[in-house]
Amino acid sequence: MSVLVTGGAGYIGGHMVLELLDAGEKVVVLDDLSTGFAWAVPDGVPLIVGDFGDMALVDEIVRAHQIDAIAHFAAKIVVPESVADPLLYYANNTAKARNLLECAVRNKVKHFIFSSTAAVYGEPKTNPVTEDVGLAPINPYGRSKLMVEWMLEDTAKACGLTYAVLRYFNVAGADPKGRLGQSTPQATHLIKVAVQAALGHRKGMDVFGTDYPTPDGTCIRDYIQVTDLVRAHVQALAYLRSGGASLTCNCGYGHGRSVLEVIKVVKKVTGIDFEVRLSGRRPGDPAALVAGADRIRAVLGWQPRYDDLEVIVRQAFEWERRLHNRKGG
Ligand code: UFG
């Protein structure tokens, strides 16, 4: 049997492919290469360039490759873009996921692993935020993902498929073996932006908001290393295959760091000082978002290996340097 990874040429999906291969799994990648890269897919792994919402294509792949599980990573992920163009997000993240799920059901795919997000919680009243608090996404991105969570829940009840919904907090870092990292040129994520500033690939950086109700006034997030994150997916797959019940869990370490703390670590790890501008708030940013991370440990036996911001930043920095060199600087 094989695992179909949608978005397997992208950042998190690409790391999932590596982790599955390392675990001895057979993998097939479906990616439209809109933000992913063909070079990110290892030799020997079939890469089908196409749309995960194309049911005829997905039917064909599932039958040809004896797919028993789908790990669905392909998605639009930029919150401000989702506010500006919500229908794009509902079409891509929600409607196409419905089609994918229909293909899974009619081809009797047994398990579905879904990349969800902490954005389903919106502005949590308390932190750490556990899985069973009320869900109140504040932007179309979070809503587009939450609807898929609901579809999965209903479909699993009706059809016997089992699923794992994994709600990511702030994913960062790169493959410890140096094979892959965050490669999107216009990435907006804090650690990526900060290492680009350190390398001089952008002129300094902004801190968005210094008047939040946090100890240093800047936002707090729970940064989870990407290999730790994808290992949770592989463990979730093993759990479902061994008969485990469908599961929804947070993916984070359970503690947070502020924007200023992250920047300090980037300067320390790289040994490079760069300009940091204290700017106004970015719309839609919750003050703090930290995972209640007990369930993932209890149910999957997951243990992080890279719960160290210095390690995460070093990986991101080294990847950024390698990426720049491969492009010819
Ligand atoms: N930040 C800066 N300067 C930058 C970039 C980010 O100060 O140049 C700040 C942001 O304002 C925020 C923090 O760093 O306070 C983290 O921002 P990121 O953009 O790295 O990540 P987000 O917390 O906004 O996004 C994450 C996920 C999204 C998810 C969202 C839910 O990446 O997919 O959490 O809140 F939707």
Side-chain angles (χ1 to χ4, degrees):
M1 302 306 278
S2 300
V3 181
L4 173 61
V5 180
T6 72
Y11 172 47
I12 304 174
H15 283 83
M16 176 69 168
V17 171
L18 295 175
E19 196 68 18
L20 285 167
L21 294 176
D22 289 349
E25 296 279 349
K26 284 170 74 180
V27 181
V28 179
V29 169
L30 172 60
D31 198 302
D32 67 2
L33 301 182
S34 55
T35 54
F37 302 93
W39 57 254
V41 179
D43 289 342
V45 173
L47 164 63
I48 293 116
V49 179
D51 180 350
F52 70 85
D54 177 344
M55 292 202 274
L57 176 64
V58 174
D59 278 344
E60 194 185 309
I61 296 169
V62 169
R63 286 174 196 149
H65 294 274
Q66 297 180 299
I67 302 294
D68 79 319
I70 296 176
H72 178 41
F73 292 86
K76 299 241 165 253
I77 59 160
V78 181
V79 172
E81 184 185 46
S82 81
V83 176
D85 193 353
L87 293 181
L88 176 68
Y89 276 66
Y90 293 127
N92 192 81
N93 293 359
T94 313
K96 284 186 187 180
R98 195 217 71 88
N99 288 2
L100 182 65
L101 205 45
E102 183 178 323
C103 291
V105 169
R106 74 165 159 246
N107 291 291
K108 302 197 167 36
V109 171
K110 295 196 181 80
H111 313 296
F112 200 97
I113 313 261
F114 177 57
S115 300
S116 191
T117 169
V120 298
Y121 296 117
E123 295 257 14
K125 288 191 182 65
T126 53
N127 273 293
V129 55
T130 50
E131 291 85 351
D132 38 24
V133 300
L135 301 172
I138 55 172
N139 53 56
Y141 168 68
R143 290 170 186 222
S144 74
K145 290 277 187 173
L146 180 54
M147 282 193 270
V148 181
E149 292 196 10
W150 288 336
M151 279 196 278
L152 272 168
E153 195 182 326
D154 294 339
T155 306
K157 273 185 202 141
C159 305
L161 151 155
T162 57
Y163 66 82
V165 163
L166 300 175
R167 293 181 181 152
Y168 308 165
F169 284 65
N170 287 60
V171 188
D175 174 42
K177 295 181 186 156
R179 296 169 291 182
L180 197 59
Q182 166 62 275
S183 308
T184 318
Q186 275 85 38
T188 56
H189 290 149
L190 176 65
I191 292 178
K192 170 100 178 170
V193 166
V195 298
Q196 286 179 330
L199 285 166
H201 299 164
R202 62 170 72 219
K203 210 185 151 310
M205 63 170 294
D206 294 284
V207 172
F208 297 134
T210 53
D211 59 349
Y212 284 98
T214 59
D216 68 14
T218 66
C219 291
I220 292 174
R221 295 288 183 275
D222 186 339
Y223 295 89
I224 175 172
Q225 195 272 348
V226 63
T227 313
D228 275 344
L229 174 75
V230 295
R231 194 167 359 89
H233 294 61
V234 174
Q235 288 181 240
L237 178 59
Y239 159 88
L240 294 176
R241 279 180 174 158
S242 68
S246 294
L247 166 78
T248 296
C249 57
N250 287 341
C251 294
Y253 291 145
H255 52 80
R257 304 295 284 267
S258 75
V259 174
L260 289 178
E261 283 172 335
V262 170
I263 293 172
K264 197 169 161 198
V265 170
V266 173
K267 289 188 175 184
K268 180 180 169 207
V269 165
T270 63
I272 302 167
D273 198 11
F274 50 87
E275 186 192 354
V276 175
R277 298 171 292 267
L278 302 181
S279 306
R281 291 185 180 197
R282 191 174 70 172
D285 277 342
L289 204 48
V290 175
D294 292 341
R295 185 182 289 176
I296 188 173
R297 287 174 159 92
V299 180
L300 299 181
W302 177 77
Q303 291 286 345
R305 293 183 189 153
Y306 304 101
D307 179 2
D308 180 333
L309 192 57
E310 291 195 15
V311 171
I312 294 173
V313 165
R314 189 167 301 113
Q315 291 172 348
F317 181 65
E318 278 164 13
W319 176 256
E320 198 61 34
R321 227 176 7 197
R322 190 167 301 132
L323 190 65
H324 197 64
N325 292 341
R326 81 178 287 147
K327 282 188 209 141

